[in-house]
Amino acid sequence: MAALNFQGTNISAWLIPLAYAAVAVACGFTVPRIGYAILPGLVSSISVNAAVGFYSAIASGMIALTGIVFSLTFLMVQFSATAYSPRLVLWIARDPVISHAIGVFTATFLYALDSLAWVDRQGSGRVPLLGILVVSLLLIVSIIMFISLIHRIGKLQVTQMLTFTGDRGREVIESLYPPIETPASTASVESLDAPCTQTLFHHG
């Protein structure tokens, strides 16, 4: 049962990045078409070469950043598992911020590639402004997720890990045991005062 729960946790952790990637690909195919159909005059003033460089820099930089950051992250988690209990490190690894960060980084990379295909479409010399705005927004969200990820990795410090363990322990104690001020149940007292009876059945 524990192995099944662990596999379920891994599956749910990877479903989040896959969902981000699927949404990014879908938006990459639909948003430029909507812009061309509904808002044909919404065109950026930057040149085609500048737009190609902008999208290319975001795509290449994002995939490189994703590989470096998460290689260092999982390497740090692996080394921390030798210093702490592996269960404590597993709590950090199950943090949804890690899955969402992977998803946002992947979505930014994929959407930048899709938007790059719509620059100078059919030799029109147009750069859709909507694609520039969306990829810029994704870039800002990626920076926010990167900062949140660094904050989560900071929990692996000794002081932060002790504080985290103490907080989780107090939460478990409060959920299992009622406070001292809680009055005792009357049903339990009555059951103690009741006479003890026992029925024996004998055959033969």
Side-chain angles (χ1 to χ4, degrees):
M1 183 64 68
L4 184 61
N5 291 334
F6 182 72
Q7 292 177 359
T9 303
N10 287 338
I11 293 175
S12 62
W14 285 108
L15 282 178
I16 296 176
L18 288 177
Y20 274 96
V23 172
V25 172
C27 291
F29 281 104
T30 57
V31 171
R33 286 180 170 84
I34 293 174
Y36 269 92
I38 300 177
L39 301 171
L42 193 63
V43 181
S44 177
S45 59
I46 64 176
S47 63
V48 173
N49 294 330
V52 171
F54 177 72
Y55 285 125
S56 301
I58 291 178
S60 59
M62 189 58 61
I63 198 64
L65 175 66
T66 304
I68 293 173
V69 167
F70 284 98
S71 296
L72 294 177
T73 299
F74 290 121
L75 184 63
M76 185 176 180
V77 170
Q78 181 180 2
F79 278 107
S80 299
T82 60
Y84 312 118
S85 171
R87 296 180 180 179
L88 297 179
V89 180
L90 187 60
W91 283 347
I92 303 297
R94 288 177 178 175
D95 197 327
V97 173
I98 297 179
S99 300
H100 286 287
I102 296 176
V104 171
F105 292 166
T106 306
T108 306
F109 166 72
L110 292 175
Y111 188 83
L113 289 181
D114 292 338
S115 298
L116 183 60
W118 286 87
V119 175
D120 194 18
R121 191 76 169 181
Q122 297 178 352
S124 61
R126 299 174 57 185
V127 178
L129 180 60
L130 192 59
I132 296 289
L133 295 177
V134 173
V135 78
S136 300
L137 179 62
L138 286 174
L139 189 60
I140 294 174
V141 176
S142 299
I143 295 174
I144 296 174
M145 294 303 297
F146 175 72
I147 296 173
S148 300
L149 182 63
I150 296 300
H151 177 70
R152 290 300 191 278
I153 298 303
K155 287 184 178 180
L156 293 177
Q157 297 178 358
V158 177
T159 55
Q160 295 292 332
M161 185 61 70
L162 292 176
T163 304
F164 175 73
T165 306
D167 293 339
R168 291 299 298 268
R170 282 187 289 271
E171 291 176 1
V172 173
I173 293 174
E174 291 175 357
S175 62
L176 291 178
Y177 302 100
I180 300 177
E181 296 81 7
T182 303
S185 177
T186 57
S188 60
V189 176
E190 293 176 356
S191 62
L192 292 176
D193 296 336
C196 182
T197 59
Q198 185 176 9
T199 304
L200 298 177
F201 295 95
H202 177 70
H203 297 280

